[in-house]
Amino acid sequence: MSTIARYWAWIAAALALVALPHIFSSGASITMMSLMGFAVIFALSYNMLLGQTGMLSFGHAVYYGLGGFITAHALNIIGAGKLPIPLPVLPLVGGLAGLSFAIIFGWVSTKRAGTAFAMISLGVGELVAACSLILRGFFGGEGGVSTSRTSTLQLFGLSFGPQIQVYYLIAAWSLACVGAMYAFTRTPMGRMCNAVRDNPERAEFVGYSTQMVRFIAFCTSGFFAGVAGGLAAIHYEIVTASVVGAAPSGFVLLMAYIGGVAFFIGPIIGAILMTALQISLSDYTGAWQLYVGLMFVLMVMYAPLGLAGLLLMHRPLISAGVFSRLLPGYALAAVPALALFAGAVLVIETAHHLLVKASDGPAMRVFWVSYDANSPVAWTVFAALIATGFLAFRRTWPVVSGAWHEATLEARRKLAK
Amino acid sequence: MSAPALQLVDLHKSFGVTPIIRGVSLDVALGERHAIIGPNGAGKSTLFHLISGRFPATSGKVLLKGGDITGLPPYLINRRGLSRSFQVTNIFPRLSVFENIRCGVLWSLGYRYSFWHLIERLRDARERAESILEQINLAARRDVQAGLLSYAEQRALEIGITIAGGADVIMLDEPTAGMNRSETEHAVELIRRVSEGKTLVVVEHDMSVVFDLADRISVLVYGQVIASDTPERIRANPAVREAYLGTAASLEHADA
Ligand SMILES: Nc1ncnc2c1ncn2[C@@H]1O[C@H](COP(=O)(O)OP(=O)(O)OP(=O)(O)O)[C@@H](O)[C@H]1O
Ligand SMILES: [Mg+2]
């Protein structure tokens, strides 16, 4: 992408962030977009480690969570002391908290790379999670630490009471952080992160301490995770001990991986999609985490470059103008894929109903169809959907890969000209 | 008199109980092109690893331009002006050819761990990397992922990364291995050019390259230097001829 195009991309992103709440103006969608904002920062900060430096962390929520707690405490102190500090700078407090803890824990954990680093990150995560149960003064015990974002110094008449104001605060911070993290990838340090990911040994022989590269990457990543945590604290006005636990550490890995860790844009896509799924799916089904897990496993097995990889794979074909040749194949394969998907969803939902909501009786409803969870007919239909979907998908797949092959050849021919 | 570029003092290395380097003492003068030859498994690469800090020595000392570098990590040794290549290609496979070279350039230009410079704006780094690309004949492959290069191209890149930082002591471990005749000639020309005014230590099996390039030759056999001398005297040395019994012909051949 040329410099001019990139410049316009940022302006377009800024305009989109301004316009979005006017298009999706319901309270629920503004809340969802706010959540997406800090999820994007969190996932990108995680990918500074995984995708860019090759460090697999199982404890990244530590810096997110601690950033959140410190921000909440700071808000309470500011509110109580009537300190002249406006709310918009508070995510910086979260970031500095994330940075401080990353310096402490990173000093230890970045002495090692690879599996040892991953294990240490898991250990640190467990350690902090355990502390959250013990240090009740700081972590607020069961109830967490609640705070109020409206008791800070108000500038320009902004109270940050209404969600829309919080949305704009989050949007501004998100854009700034995404820009900063993007810039980071284009600095000498960012480049050496990639070098250390690719071949740590050789990096040592061109003058770089791999441990120092990992440490700086870890601290930078901790800073941005802390900013995300601070924004979350401002949004929810409460931080509970669960945010430093293993679940959010796992979820950020899922977001980054499903989006695609090899691309800068990957974790952005992943964070937006996974946040949307988390909120909307959990409304429809209690088994939503199972779907997320299945999706992760499928991505790892069949699309290790993530959604960004799947999308960007098409770019050369689009620019060569041969993308439309893929559409018939995609349409054909989509039919059995949908049948297979519907069958799988019905089995999961029905099993979930029988196992978890047995007391409600067997009557249930999925996809606008009502049926009995223990009716043999229903189960036969599910099995048939899955079996025919699977077999037909295997038959139609060669059409897709054949079309893909031809389109690629054609694109290459056009490029050669 | 100024200190030698490289000084090895009774260097030993054992892997477990197996001694591999058994007391190597060697001086390489400043500005000298020094070749190390020896049969397979003699310990040439291991000696390189000891000098460049990849492995710690079991005992002995390594001095670089008079300063003790024994036991220092590779990056500190590199920053003191010693750069090495590897016998088995050791590049950054997912980065482009250009980025590979630029990674080799950054530290020496003083950018260190900077996250306050935009790399595209660093003209000196770009120009230096581009000039190296010209020298190693890979300018046309600039944007290709390094892992996708052909074997010979990867070998050229290996040399390029090594010389990119402008170190004044350059160590090359079998730079021409696996290259064909014309590629070898080009590589030798390149090595001659980039080692101009610098100190070069090179491990090489191709005797014509060795006798073409070297001011001095050391012969390493079973972890010991059995001779270290000028090419003419090495060629005439009976102990060397003995060690190279099977390859005596190649020594003769190099006369031509
Ligand atoms: N990490 C290691 N652990 C144990 N033994 C090793 C190790 N590295 C090398 N060796 C052994 O040390 C001996 C010398 O190996 P080295 O690679 O230094 O030889 P070389 O002279 O470079 O040979 P070649 O000409 O084949 O490259 C060999 O017998 C090898 O098996
Ligand atoms: Mg060797």
Side-chain angles (χ1 to χ4, degrees):
Chain A
M1 210 170 21
S2 74
T3 317
I4 306 278
R6 217 178 280 134
Y7 183 68
W8 282 110
W10 288 107
I11 293 182
L15 290 177
L17 288 178
V18 172
L20 275 171
H22 297 285
I23 303 167
F24 305 98
S25 54
S26 75
S29 42
I30 289 176
T31 300
M32 188 190 282
M33 290 186 294
S34 305
L35 300 183
M36 286 171 177
F38 48 80
V40 163
I41 303 177
F42 189 28
L44 278 176
S45 79
Y46 184 78
N47 204 40
M48 280 185 146
L49 299 181
L50 181 57
Q52 287 163 27
T53 321
M55 298 157 80
L56 176 60
S57 166
F58 291 120
H60 203 50
V62 165
Y63 312 96
Y64 172 83
L66 289 173
F69 274 107
I70 301 266
T71 306
H73 285 301
L75 261 177
N76 288 340
I77 293 169
I78 291 168
K82 300 260 179 292
L83 301 179
I85 300 173
L87 185 74
V89 303
L90 266 140
L92 191 62
V93 173
L96 293 177
L99 174 65
S100 312
F101 287 103
I103 290 173
I104 297 167
F105 295 130
W107 189 251
V108 186
S109 52
T110 58
K111 288 196 193 299
R112 296 280 179 276
T115 313
F117 170 81
M119 293 302 144
I120 298 172
S121 74
L122 190 64
V124 169
E126 288 303 309
L127 183 96
V128 172
C131 286
S132 71
L133 303 176
I134 300 163
L135 304 173
R136 306 176 68 89
F138 180 78
F139 291 98
E142 238 87 290
V145 175
S146 26
T147 182
S148 160
R149 63 187 176 228
T150 50
S151 51
T152 52
L153 176 76
Q154 295 188 5
L155 293 179
F156 315 114
L158 291 173
S159 68
F160 290 105
Q163 185 62 34
I164 183 75
Q165 294 184 6
V166 178
Y167 164 83
Y168 280 117
L169 175 69
I170 291 173
W173 269 95
S174 300
L175 191 67
C177 288
V178 172
M181 283 188 269
Y182 182 70
F184 181 87
T185 64
R186 310 172 63 78
T187 62
M189 177 61 205
R191 192 60 81 242
M192 289 317 295
C193 286
N194 303 153
V196 167
R197 170 200 68 199
D198 273 20
N199 187 346
E201 176 175 67
R202 189 56 190 247
E204 293 252 323
F205 286 91
V206 296
Y208 281 85
S209 156
T210 51
Q211 188 186 330
M212 186 54 95
V213 170
R214 285 195 299 269
F215 178 65
I216 296 175
F218 194 85
C219 294
T220 318
S221 161
F223 172 81
F224 286 106
V227 170
L231 288 169
I234 290 170
H235 168 84
Y236 290 117
E237 299 187 292
I238 183 166
V239 190
T240 58
S242 64
V243 294
V244 293
S249 287
F251 199 68
V252 73
L253 166 61
L254 293 193
M255 290 196 290
Y257 196 92
I258 289 176
V261 295
F263 307 93
F264 182 79
I265 192 136
I268 301 181
I269 298 175
I272 290 175
L273 180 83
M274 298 303 283
T275 307
L277 280 184
Q278 183 177 21
I279 292 175
S280 50
L281 270 187
S282 59
D283 277 353
Y284 291 115
T285 164
W288 72 273
Q289 281 169 314
L290 184 65
Y291 292 104
V292 171
L294 274 177
M295 187 164 142
F296 178 63
V297 172
L298 287 176
M299 294 302 278
V300 171
M301 285 171 62
Y302 298 108
L305 290 179
L307 293 171
L310 290 179
L311 292 176
L312 293 175
M313 200 162 102
H314 291 90
R315 199 163 54 175
L317 301 187
I318 294 172
S319 55
V322 293
F323 174 66
S324 57
R325 301 189 189 190
L326 297 175
L327 295 178
Y330 281 175
L332 188 64
V335 177
L338 274 176
L340 180 58
F341 174 73
V345 170
L346 285 163
V347 167
I348 292 172
E349 288 306 312
T350 314
H352 180 255
H353 186 92
L354 285 175
L355 294 171
V356 182
K357 293 193 262 178
S359 55
D360 295 3
M364 63 177 294
R365 195 178 161 80
V366 177
F367 292 145
W368 314 277
V369 187
S370 301
Y371 58 94
D372 252 17
N374 44 20
S375 118
V377 180
W379 283 93
T380 316
V381 171
F382 305 162
L385 269 175
I386 291 180
T388 50
F390 178 72
L391 292 175
F393 185 73
R394 290 213 347 194
R395 295 291 292 272
T396 50
W397 189 249
V399 180
V400 174
S401 60
W404 179 264
H405 185 69
E406 267 176 29
T408 319
L409 284 182
E410 179 66 25
R412 227 173 271 157
R413 221 173 295 136
K414 284 195 178 174
L415 269 183
K417 254 183 229 161
Chain B
M1 209 190 91
S2 66
L6 203 57
Q7 210 174 355
L8 312 183
V9 185
D10 196 25
L11 215 49
H12 286 260
K13 177 69 183 178
S14 310
F15 289 114
V17 292
T18 325
I20 299 294
I21 298 295
R22 304 183 303 147
V24 169
S25 296
L26 186 68
D27 283 10
V28 179
L30 276 174
E32 178 176 298
R33 293 198 180 100
H34 197 109
I36 294 176
I37 62 173
N40 289 110
K44 305 180 294 295
S45 297
T46 305
L47 192 62
F48 263 42
H49 296 331
L50 297 184
I51 298 170
S52 62
R54 192 189 194 198
F55 296 153
T58 308
S59 70
K61 264 183 188 242
V62 184
L63 306 178
L64 178 65
K65 290 172 276 183
D68 193 348
I69 57 165
T70 324
L72 290 186
Y75 58 91
L76 289 183
I77 295 177
N78 180 271
R79 290 177 202 169
R80 291 189 178 203
L82 183 148
S83 183
R84 64 160 298 183
S85 74
F86 290 79
Q87 181 174 358
V88 178
T89 304
N90 209 345
I91 56 179
F92 304 112
R94 282 168 63 190
L95 300 187
S96 73
V97 170
F98 178 72
E99 292 298 354
N100 266 267
I101 300 290
R102 191 152 62 178
C103 286
V105 159
L106 288 173
W107 188 275
S108 65
L109 290 179
Y111 295 114
R112 303 161 77 95
Y113 301 103
S114 159
F115 45 84
W116 49 90
H117 291 96
L118 280 177
I119 200 164
E120 301 298 337
R121 301 235 179 107
L122 305 179
R123 232 176 101 199
D124 49 355
R126 193 189 64 228
E127 287 174 355
R128 175 100 149 253
E130 277 167 354
S131 102
I132 301 273
L133 278 185
E134 289 293 338
Q135 292 180 42
I136 58 174
N137 255 356
L138 286 182
R141 308 284 276 160
R142 180 192 158 111
D143 296 320
V144 179
Q145 246 193 21
L148 303 178
L149 292 179
S150 74
Y151 176 78
E153 287 171 327
Q154 291 194 357
R155 293 304 299 166
L157 181 59
E158 176 77 36
I159 298 177
I161 299 173
T162 308
I163 62 174
D168 46 16
V169 178
I170 294 174
M171 301 178 59
L172 304 176
D173 195 351
E174 304 205 14
T176 70
M179 289 189 180
N180 66 29
R181 202 65 252 165
S182 75
E183 286 162 348
T184 301
E185 269 164 31
H186 183 83
V188 171
E189 253 340 285
L190 167 68
I191 292 167
R192 197 193 304 283
R193 196 153 19 92
V194 298
S195 59
E196 202 67 61
K198 300 186 173 178
T199 308
L200 175 76
V201 184
V202 57
V203 168
E204 186 53 72
H205 275 300
D206 185 329
M207 287 306 150
S208 64
V209 171
V210 170
F211 284 95
D212 191 14
L213 207 54
D215 303 323
R216 285 173 72 83
I217 299 175
S218 292
V219 185
L220 190 71
V221 179
Y222 189 31
Q224 286 179 322
V225 175
I226 60 165
S228 184
D229 220 325
T230 60
E232 296 72 42
R233 309 254 287 270
I234 286 292
R235 199 178 286 140
N237 187 318
V240 176
R241 287 183 167 262
E242 170 113 14
Y244 267 88
L245 211 54
T247 50
S250 69
L251 290 175
E252 298 296 346
H253 184 72
D255 283 315

